[in-house]
Amino acid sequence: MDFVEIQPQDLQFNPFEMIGTDWMLVTAGNDSAWNTMTASWGQMGTLWNKPVATIYLRPQRYTKEFVDQTDDFTLSFFGEEWHEALETCGSLSGRDADKALATGLAPMEVPGSMAFEQAELIVVCHKLYAQQLEEQDFVVPELVAQNYPNKDFHTMYVGRIDHMYIAAALLEDDEDECGCGHEHHHHDGDCGCGHEHHEHHHHDGECCCHHHE
């Protein structure tokens, strides 16, 4: 599938729906060794004057090993037809199963990490900060009992958004939005939003707290 690079400020989406309801895949590694997990906890916004994404990984997650060992990770967002695949990625561990084989998702290389050909949106992040959540820092103690009965507190990772790719197929219809919030007529890959886009031709939270990666 072909992708077009857009700027973070051009993207318009409902984060509560995209992350909390539709879920995403958090992926790290390279072409020879990688893992992915389904997540529904996270944020995007501005921090330290940079566009960032924040993810949360429990210590037992296999994907965490890859995020810790590499400088970059990706967030992949999909259409509803891939929701079952994300459920599978949230219920299997990469230690025991080949998630690409189990779901039909096709991994592909992106700058510094891995993502998936079937994604509608790919966000490539460079790690800036990592900090484990601590029980004593919770202002509302009930959250610990509700979310961490085993005291397996997440590590929070803040990543600078270095690249953001949208599926070119979403731009093919003249009446579609390029992601900047305005309707355009597209000619030769130019969406007309006034920003430079780059075409890329690729060949290649745990959605619930009880899921595994």
Side-chain angles (χ1 to χ4, degrees):
M1 180 183 292
D2 292 341
F3 289 87
V4 174
E5 184 165 9
I6 63 173
Q7 299 301 311
Q9 60 267 29
D10 293 335
L11 183 67
Q12 291 193 355
F13 71 104
N14 182 333
F16 298 97
E17 180 178 353
M18 279 189 65
I19 298 175
T21 302
D22 296 339
W23 308 339
M24 61 185 175
L25 288 181
V26 177
T27 309
N30 54 47
D31 189 43
S32 60
W34 59 271
N35 200 61
T36 191
M37 61 173 282
T38 305
S40 64
W41 290 7
Q43 295 87 33
M44 288 191 203
T46 302
L47 182 64
W48 305 313
N49 297 315
K50 303 178 187 300
V52 301
T54 305
I55 59 172
Y56 301 85
L57 306 181
R58 293 184 190 263
Q60 64 267 38
R61 303 308 184 197
Y62 188 40
T63 300
K64 186 179 186 300
E65 298 181 17
F66 290 86
V67 173
D68 288 339
Q69 293 168 7
T70 58
D71 293 330
D72 303 282
F73 62 88
T74 66
L75 310 178
S76 298
F77 299 87
F78 299 82
E80 61 181 357
E81 68 273 18
W82 290 98
H83 199 73
E84 184 176 345
L86 268 65
E87 287 184 333
T88 300
C89 287
S91 61
L92 294 178
S93 172
R95 295 186 181 95
D96 307 316
D98 183 331
K99 293 188 180 183
L101 184 63
T103 61
L105 290 170
M108 69 181 198
E109 293 184 85
V110 295
S113 194
M114 301 292 293
F116 299 94
E117 292 185 3
Q118 295 90 344
E120 292 186 348
L121 176 69
I122 297 170
V123 182
V124 182
C125 302
H126 182 78
K127 284 188 306 182
L128 298 178
Y129 182 84
Q131 177 67 52
Q132 184 174 338
L133 304 185
E134 299 289 348
E135 182 172 2
Q136 64 268 22
D137 294 329
F138 281 82
V139 179
V140 181
E142 290 81 1
L143 291 173
V144 175
Q146 293 168 0
N147 296 282
Y148 303 102
N150 298 320
K151 308 296 185 182
D152 53 343
F153 296 99
H154 290 89
T155 296
M156 174 182 70
Y157 298 87
V158 179
R160 182 188 66 223
I161 297 175
D162 282 349
H163 302 281
M164 186 174 283
Y165 304 110
I166 190 170
L170 298 180
L171 308 179
E172 288 179 353
D173 191 327
D174 285 349
E175 297 303 317
D176 282 349
E177 294 183 356
C178 72
C180 66
H182 304 283
E183 291 186 356
H184 305 289
H185 297 282
H186 305 288
H187 303 285
D188 299 325
D190 180 10
C191 73
C193 69
H195 298 280
E196 183 180 355
H197 301 309
H198 308 280
E199 291 190 2
H200 295 264
H201 302 280
H202 299 285
H203 306 289
D204 185 320
E206 298 146 85
C207 61
C208 295
C209 63
H210 61 277
H211 281 186
H212 309 287
E213 97 292 284

